[in-house]
Amino acid sequence: QKEVEQNSGPLSVPEGAIASLNCTYSDRGSQSFFWYRQYSGKSPELIMFIYSNGDKEDGRFTAQLNKASQYVSLLIRDSQPSDSATYLCAVNMGYGQNFVFGPGTRLSVLP
Amino acid sequence: DVKVTQSSRYLVKRTGEKVFLECVQDMDHENMFWYRQDPGLGLRLIYFSYDVKMKEKGDIPEGYSVSREKKERFSLILESASTNQTSMYLCAIQTGAGNTIYFGEGSWLTVV
C-alpha cells in the first residue's frame, strides 16, 4: 500500500513565526515530492516540488527532503494570516495513479 | 501557464439524473485525472486517462464512467446520480518536471 502521511492539525502559529509542516511516505523508490496549498472551497495549487535530498527555497517557502528517512517537510518563514490553508503533501511513486496525496495539514496563522 | 478548465463550477442535480462534468486542457498533455474531495477523506482518484480512449480505474470508480474522445477533453459521467455523490470534483493534468499534477478550479456537485 503506497501511503503518504501528514499530521492533520490544526497547526496554529503566530504571525511572523516559522510554520513547519511534515510528511512521511512509504515508497522508498519515490523520486519527486510536492507541496500544494488549498484554501477553503478552492482547488489545490502547487507551491513547489523537490527531488534531491536537502533544501530547496522559493521565497518564504523551503522544502526539505530526506530520502533515507522518507521524510519531506515544508517551512514557511514569516507566516502571514493569508497562509492559513490546508497544505497537501504529494509523492510521485510511479506512473499515473501512483501520484499519491497525503490527507493534508490545516495551518492557522494567528494575527 | 498550465490551464485546466472545468466549465461547470456549481451544479444541483436530482437523484437518478445523468450528470456530465467536463474538463478541458489547452495543451497536448497525455495524462488527465478525475478526483473527488470530501471533508475528512482527502483526495480520492476516480479515473485516470493516459491517452485518447484510454482509461484506468482509480480508487473509487463505482458509480462513475469517463470519456476521452479528444486529447484535450476528459469527461466524468455519473450515470445515475445519488446523494452520496455530492462532493467537490477536481480535474487534473500531469506535466512538466517531476510529472507535476495541476488542478482545475473544481466542480461542486450537490445531488438532492
Side-chain angles (χ1 to χ4, degrees):
Chain A
Q1 181 78 0
K2 297 185 176 182
E3 293 183 337
V4 176
E5 296 185 347
Q6 298 179 254
N7 187 325
S8 61
L11 172 66
S12 294
V13 300
E15 184 174 355
I18 296 175
S20 178
L21 303 160
N22 304 316
C23 171
T24 58
Y25 59 95
S26 62
D27 184 358
R28 188 171 288 277
S30 300
Q31 295 296 313
S32 46
F33 309 85
F34 304 80
W35 284 100
Y36 291 82
R37 177 176 61 198
Q38 186 174 23
Y39 292 112
S40 181
K42 302 293 186 182
S43 63
E45 55 181 340
L46 179 72
I47 299 172
M48 64 191 305
F49 67 88
I50 186 169
Y51 46 80
S52 298
N53 274 329
D55 295 0
K56 179 181 179 182
E57 189 174 313
D58 185 357
R60 295 187 296 113
F61 299 97
T62 299
Q64 299 176 317
L65 174 61
N66 184 327
K67 288 186 178 180
S69 300
Q70 295 174 242
Y71 177 92
V72 193
S73 64
L74 180 71
L75 301 178
I76 307 174
R77 290 183 300 281
D78 188 23
S79 295
Q80 301 296 310
S82 59
D83 294 324
S84 298
T86 297
Y87 289 80
L88 302 173
C89 174
V91 179
N92 193 347
M93 298 186 184
Y95 176 74
Q97 60 189 314
N98 291 311
F99 196 105
V100 182
F101 287 88
T105 298
R106 190 156 55 94
L107 172 67
S108 179
V109 181
L110 307 174
Chain B
D1 275 4
V2 175
K3 190 167 177 63
V4 182
T5 302
Q6 295 181 237
S7 52
S8 300
R9 295 296 315 283
Y10 303 95
L11 305 93
V12 179
K13 297 292 183 180
R14 295 195 180 277
T15 301
E17 276 193 79
K18 191 170 186 175
V19 181
F20 292 86
L21 298 179
E22 301 284 331
C23 176
V24 178
Q25 54 151 318
D26 65 341
M27 298 287 282
D28 212 23
H29 306 298
E30 293 179 341
N31 293 353
M32 298 186 74
F33 304 78
W34 275 106
Y35 294 88
R36 66 177 283 180
Q37 189 176 37
D38 302 286
L41 296 177
L43 280 162
R44 293 182 290 169
L45 180 65
I46 305 171
Y47 267 98
F48 156 62
S49 170
Y50 52 94
D51 207 341
V52 174
K53 298 188 188 294
M54 309 303 286
K55 62 186 179 186
E56 288 186 10
K57 294 180 180 179
D59 301 317
I60 52 163
E62 297 79 17
Y64 303 94
S65 62
V66 289
S67 173
R68 194 165 180 198
E69 297 296 320
K70 294 184 178 181
K71 201 164 192 177
E72 67 269 20
R73 190 178 298 269
F74 190 35
S75 302
L76 180 69
I77 304 158
L78 288 68
E79 295 288 343
S80 178
S82 63
T83 55
N84 63 11
Q85 292 178 309
T86 292
S87 186
M88 180 179 185
Y89 290 87
L90 290 161
C91 177
I93 61 94
Q94 189 171 35
T95 187
N99 288 318
T100 305
I101 282 189
Y102 295 92
F103 291 93
E105 291 184 308
S107 298
W108 289 92
L109 172 66
T110 300
V111 183
V112 298

